[in-house]
Amino acid sequence: MNYKATPTLLLYANVSKGYKAGSFPGVSAGTFAQYAAVTQESLVDYEAGFKTTLFDRKVTLNGGVFYYDYKNKQLRAKIVDPFFNALDGLVNVPKSRVKGAELELSARVVEGLTVSAAATYIDAKVRHYQGIVGSVANEVGLFDPIRGDFSGARLPFSPKWQSSLSADYSLPLGGVNLTMGTTISSQSKSLGVLAITNADKDLYEVNGRTLVSARLGVEAPDGRWAVFGWGRNIFNKYYWTNTIQTYDTVVRYAGRPAEYGLTVRFKFQ
């Protein structure tokens, strides 16, 4: 549903439903139990928000709220094999939800200068799931699972806050356009796996970070050619993108370090 409240203000609301097909896990398995299939997941998405322009279309402001209702969400988690103990597998979380809000702003501050900012808040939690929290050896020396209630646990890779700030400036100079810009992006900490104990939350934390990128170049006034120098993570911030347990080892996957490069673009007419 869309409603044009004023010539420069659009209000909208949307409800949609989608599915993700049943699947098999992609893991380095030690037993066939790790390749057990999971059923399809479904999602009902509720969204509402606005889009508007201000100050003679020099400022664009968009905002919205959303609620995702998941059933049988597919997540990587632990299973317990009688012989091999804790192993990785793919499981269905019966009920989970994601709610949040986002805001985007873009403004042409002065001639040639555009500033953009965006922020997103996410609260992503399990509503119902009885998962593996450990194991115990039985009387014959095999392993039996210990289950725990994961209701209220945060979904993996769902930082509460994400934000970005960009500034781009273009200046005509000597028959070409000199362009420069920078982007600052950040996100708060998250988790690499489902975790309910404080020890696991510390162990599997994916750290928050703020990364800075920059770019500088020249281009033809008609846009036919351009040469740009760029740098990503220019302050060489150390961070990791995932934390998982592989057998008896906890592994962190480091993010990319500082990178620099040159891009040349040419359009053939």
Side-chain angles (χ1 to χ4, degrees), residues 202-221:
D202 290 338
L203 188 62
Y204 296 106
E205 177 183 302
V206 177
N207 64 334
R209 66 263 191 181
T210 297
L211 306 179
V212 180
S213 300
R215 48 205 169 270
L216 176 65
V218 293
E219 64 178 343

mmCIF file of all heavy atoms in Angstrom, residues 202-221:
data_model
loop_
_atom_site.group_PDB
_atom_site.id
_atom_site.type_symbol
_atom_site.label_atom_id
_atom_site.label_comp_id
_atom_site.label_asym_id
_atom_site.label_seq_id
_atom_site.Cartn_x
_atom_site.Cartn_y
_atom_site.Cartn_z
ATOM 1 N N ASP A 202 31.233 -14.876 24.921
ATOM 2 C CA ASP A 202 32.572 -14.281 24.833
ATOM 3 C C ASP A 202 33.433 -15.014 23.797
ATOM 4 O O ASP A 202 34.170 -14.394 23.032
ATOM 5 C CB ASP A 202 33.261 -14.320 26.195
ATOM 6 C CG ASP A 202 32.629 -13.364 27.199
ATOM 7 O OD1 ASP A 202 31.968 -12.403 26.754
ATOM 8 O OD2 ASP A 202 32.784 -13.581 28.409
ATOM 9 N N LEU A 203 33.312 -16.341 23.776
ATOM 10 C CA LEU A 203 34.163 -17.152 22.912
ATOM 11 C C LEU A 203 33.833 -16.958 21.434
ATOM 12 O O LEU A 203 34.737 -16.900 20.590
ATOM 13 C CB LEU A 203 34.026 -18.627 23.284
ATOM 14 C CG LEU A 203 34.981 -19.616 22.613
ATOM 15 C CD1 LEU A 203 36.423 -19.292 22.972
ATOM 16 C CD2 LEU A 203 34.635 -21.042 23.031
ATOM 17 N N TYR A 204 32.559 -16.834 21.120
ATOM 18 C CA TYR A 204 32.130 -16.768 19.721
ATOM 19 C C TYR A 204 31.746 -15.359 19.289
ATOM 20 O O TYR A 204 31.029 -15.182 18.314
ATOM 21 C CB TYR A 204 30.960 -17.730 19.498
ATOM 22 C CG TYR A 204 31.337 -19.172 19.717
ATOM 23 C CD1 TYR A 204 30.924 -19.851 20.862
ATOM 24 C CD2 TYR A 204 32.127 -19.849 18.806
ATOM 25 C CE1 TYR A 204 31.276 -21.169 21.075
ATOM 26 C CE2 TYR A 204 32.494 -21.167 19.004
ATOM 27 C CZ TYR A 204 32.062 -21.825 20.149
ATOM 28 O OH TYR A 204 32.418 -23.132 20.358
ATOM 29 N N GLU A 205 32.243 -14.364 19.981
ATOM 30 C CA GLU A 205 31.935 -12.983 19.622
ATOM 31 C C GLU A 205 32.606 -12.591 18.301
ATOM 32 O O GLU A 205 33.767 -12.910 18.066
ATOM 33 C CB GLU A 205 32.389 -12.043 20.729
ATOM 34 C CG GLU A 205 32.166 -10.567 20.411
ATOM 35 C CD GLU A 205 32.709 -9.664 21.505
ATOM 36 O OE1 GLU A 205 32.272 -9.806 22.666
ATOM 37 O OE2 GLU A 205 33.574 -8.826 21.189
ATOM 38 N N VAL A 206 31.847 -11.922 17.457
ATOM 39 C CA VAL A 206 32.400 -11.270 16.269
ATOM 40 C C VAL A 206 32.502 -9.788 16.614
ATOM 41 O O VAL A 206 31.496 -9.126 16.852
ATOM 42 C CB VAL A 206 31.497 -11.474 15.036
ATOM 43 C CG1 VAL A 206 32.059 -10.723 13.837
ATOM 44 C CG2 VAL A 206 31.359 -12.965 14.724
ATOM 45 N N ASN A 207 33.716 -9.279 16.689
ATOM 46 C CA ASN A 207 33.919 -7.950 17.270
ATOM 47 C C ASN A 207 33.319 -6.839 16.416
ATOM 48 O O ASN A 207 33.209 -6.945 15.194
ATOM 49 C CB ASN A 207 35.410 -7.691 17.501
ATOM 50 C CG ASN A 207 36.213 -7.665 16.201
ATOM 51 O OD1 ASN A 207 35.833 -8.262 15.207
ATOM 52 N ND2 ASN A 207 37.335 -6.971 16.231
ATOM 53 N N GLY A 208 32.899 -5.773 17.065
ATOM 54 C CA GLY A 208 32.451 -4.591 16.346
ATOM 55 C C GLY A 208 33.632 -3.877 15.713
ATOM 56 O O GLY A 208 34.786 -4.061 16.114
ATOM 57 N N ARG A 209 33.353 -3.042 14.693
ATOM 58 C CA ARG A 209 34.458 -2.345 14.040
ATOM 59 C C ARG A 209 33.955 -1.111 13.312
ATOM 60 O O ARG A 209 32.771 -1.000 12.985
ATOM 61 C CB ARG A 209 35.190 -3.238 13.055
ATOM 62 C CG ARG A 209 34.401 -3.674 11.836
ATOM 63 C CD ARG A 209 33.813 -5.029 12.008
ATOM 64 N NE ARG A 209 33.279 -5.581 10.775
ATOM 65 C CZ ARG A 209 32.699 -6.769 10.700
ATOM 66 N NH1 ARG A 209 32.586 -7.517 11.785
ATOM 67 N NH2 ARG A 209 32.238 -7.235 9.560
ATOM 68 N N THR A 210 34.899 -0.217 13.072
ATOM 69 C CA THR A 210 34.674 0.958 12.240
ATOM 70 C C THR A 210 35.768 0.984 11.185
ATOM 71 O O THR A 210 36.954 0.979 11.511
ATOM 72 C CB THR A 210 34.720 2.248 13.083
ATOM 73 O OG1 THR A 210 33.660 2.224 14.044
ATOM 74 C CG2 THR A 210 34.552 3.470 12.193
ATOM 75 N N LEU A 211 35.361 0.987 9.919
ATOM 76 C CA LEU A 211 36.304 0.936 8.812
ATOM 77 C C LEU A 211 36.189 2.219 7.987
ATOM 78 O O LEU A 211 35.094 2.739 7.790
ATOM 79 C CB LEU A 211 36.026 -0.268 7.913
ATOM 80 C CG LEU A 211 35.975 -1.637 8.607
ATOM 81 C CD1 LEU A 211 35.668 -2.731 7.600
ATOM 82 C CD2 LEU A 211 37.279 -1.933 9.336
ATOM 83 N N VAL A 212 37.332 2.702 7.509
ATOM 84 C CA VAL A 212 37.371 3.939 6.732
ATOM 85 C C VAL A 212 37.943 3.642 5.348
ATOM 86 O O VAL A 212 38.989 3.001 5.223
ATOM 87 C CB VAL A 212 38.230 5.010 7.432
ATOM 88 C CG1 VAL A 212 38.248 6.295 6.604
ATOM 89 C CG2 VAL A 212 37.706 5.282 8.840
ATOM 90 N N SER A 213 37.253 4.120 4.331
ATOM 91 C CA SER A 213 37.711 4.003 2.954
ATOM 92 C C SER A 213 37.799 5.397 2.345
ATOM 93 O O SER A 213 37.100 6.318 2.778
ATOM 94 C CB SER A 213 36.762 3.129 2.133
ATOM 95 O OG SER A 213 36.666 1.826 2.674
ATOM 96 N N ALA A 214 38.644 5.538 1.328
ATOM 97 C CA ALA A 214 38.804 6.835 0.668
ATOM 98 C C ALA A 214 39.052 6.617 -0.817
ATOM 99 O O ALA A 214 39.496 5.535 -1.245
ATOM 100 C CB ALA A 214 39.958 7.615 1.293
ATOM 101 N N ARG A 215 38.765 7.644 -1.613
ATOM 102 C CA ARG A 215 38.954 7.565 -3.053
ATOM 103 C C ARG A 215 39.300 8.957 -3.598
ATOM 104 O O ARG A 215 38.832 9.971 -3.091
ATOM 105 C CB ARG A 215 37.710 7.015 -3.740
ATOM 106 C CG ARG A 215 36.434 7.701 -3.282
ATOM 107 C CD ARG A 215 35.201 6.808 -3.452
ATOM 108 N NE ARG A 215 34.061 7.406 -2.767
ATOM 109 C CZ ARG A 215 33.729 7.181 -1.502
ATOM 110 N NH1 ARG A 215 34.466 6.345 -0.766
ATOM 111 N NH2 ARG A 215 32.673 7.750 -0.953
ATOM 112 N N LEU A 216 40.107 8.981 -4.666
ATOM 113 C CA LEU A 216 40.527 10.226 -5.290
ATOM 114 C C LEU A 216 40.785 9.945 -6.757
ATOM 115 O O LEU A 216 41.444 8.957 -7.100
ATOM 116 C CB LEU A 216 41.800 10.762 -4.627
ATOM 117 C CG LEU A 216 42.423 12.025 -5.240
ATOM 118 C CD1 LEU A 216 41.482 13.219 -5.090
ATOM 119 C CD2 LEU A 216 43.774 12.313 -4.589
ATOM 120 N N GLY A 217 40.238 10.817 -7.644
ATOM 121 C CA GLY A 217 40.445 10.557 -9.054
ATOM 122 C C GLY A 217 40.043 11.711 -9.935
ATOM 123 O O GLY A 217 39.625 12.781 -9.465
ATOM 124 N N VAL A 218 40.182 11.484 -11.229
ATOM 125 C CA VAL A 218 39.776 12.466 -12.232
ATOM 126 C C VAL A 218 38.938 11.735 -13.271
ATOM 127 O O VAL A 218 39.138 10.544 -13.539
ATOM 128 C CB VAL A 218 40.988 13.145 -12.897
ATOM 129 C CG1 VAL A 218 41.746 14.008 -11.902
ATOM 130 C CG2 VAL A 218 41.925 12.116 -13.524
ATOM 131 N N GLU A 219 38.000 12.476 -13.872
ATOM 132 C CA GLU A 219 37.182 11.904 -14.930
ATOM 133 C C GLU A 219 36.843 12.967 -15.958
ATOM 134 O O GLU A 219 36.855 14.177 -15.669
ATOM 135 C CB GLU A 219 35.909 11.285 -14.353
ATOM 136 C CG GLU A 219 34.965 12.243 -13.683
ATOM 137 C CD GLU A 219 33.721 11.547 -13.180
ATOM 138 O OE1 GLU A 219 33.447 10.413 -13.618
ATOM 139 O OE2 GLU A 219 33.015 12.134 -12.332
ATOM 140 N N ALA A 220 36.523 12.502 -17.146
ATOM 141 C CA ALA A 220 36.134 13.415 -18.208
ATOM 142 C C ALA A 220 34.781 14.032 -17.886
ATOM 143 O O ALA A 220 33.933 13.385 -17.257
ATOM 144 C CB ALA A 220 36.067 12.665 -19.535
ATOM 145 N N PRO A 221 34.547 15.295 -18.301
ATOM 146 C CA PRO A 221 33.254 15.923 -18.013
ATOM 147 C C PRO A 221 32.071 15.148 -18.557
ATOM 148 O O PRO A 221 30.988 15.170 -17.969
ATOM 149 C CB PRO A 221 33.387 17.293 -18.684
ATOM 150 C CG PRO A 221 34.858 17.564 -18.720
ATOM 151 C CD PRO A 221 35.488 16.221 -18.932
#
